[in-house]
Amino acid sequence: MGGATNLPPGFHFFPSDEDLIVHFLRRKVANLPCRPDIVPTILLHRYDPWELNGTALQAGNQWYFFSHAAQSRTSPNGYWNPVGADETVTSSGCIVGLKKTLIFCTGEPFKGFKTNWIMHEYHLQDGGYNVSGSSTSSSSSSSRKSQRKRLHSSTESNNWVICRVFESSCGSQVSFHDEGTELSCLDEVFLSLDDYDEVSLPNN
């Protein structure tokens, strides 16, 4: 089990999609402190979803963590398979990020069995990492340096993600190649979950 937090009694970690991107992921990319600093960074490929307890931040029946985006989302006993279309996340009417939905499958990639484990993976929109204004340069050299800096920052913003993992209450495992490969309970996948009974930090 994850360790208890030092946060005030009654604190519940109940972030919206906008909160996760604007107040956590954006600050992570910009190397700015988060208050409270409770979301850990993990290497996703080292863990199956049922091993996140005590490693990621637990909030009720959900686990939160930062990680690096990867083309191959494999783990010791399976892989995360994307489902559905990416969703945009907005703040004050502007698109600030994307939310990808993935389902965990046991076995070899594209030959495995779907489980009830779901992950929402949040990506920062290109350019959304800027947290302060920039001055106009009077020289072409400064302009080129600024462009390189923005390119580097854009790469960093695309590399970091913040994830929410949970186990849905869908039925038993089914083959990834069975007829009707859509999830049988998409409502549970895309709706916010309602169990935020406790918050615990990962063990040191």
Side-chain angles (χ1 to χ4, degrees), residues 47-53 75 77-78 104 106 115 117 165 173:
Y47 300 95
D48 293 317
W50 50 85
E51 297 177 318
L52 292 174
N53 209 9
S75 74
N77 292 292
F104 188 76
T106 57
T115 70
W117 287 97
V165 173
Q173 296 181 347

Side-chain angles (χ1 to χ4, degrees), residues 67-144:
S67 190
H68 289 288
Q71 292 291 333
S72 176
R73 300 177 181 87
T74 58
S75 74
N77 292 292
Y79 61 98
W80 291 97
N81 188 70
V83 294
D86 295 347
E87 299 179 61
T88 57
V89 179
T90 61
S91 178
S92 300
C94 298
I95 297 176
V96 294
L98 294 174
K99 179 172 76 171
K100 298 177 180 291
T101 300
L102 305 97
I103 185 170
F104 188 76
C105 302
T106 57
E108 296 295 324
F110 310 112
K111 299 179 182 178
F113 291 83
K114 293 188 294 183
T115 70
N116 297 335
W117 287 97
I118 305 298
M119 178 166 68
H120 291 158
E121 185 181 83
Y122 296 86
H123 295 251
L124 201 62
Q125 180 77 0
D126 287 349
Y129 53 85
N130 290 325
V131 293
S132 62
S134 58
S135 59
T136 302
S137 173
S138 59
S139 68
S140 59
S141 176
S142 297
S143 178
R144 286 193 298 269

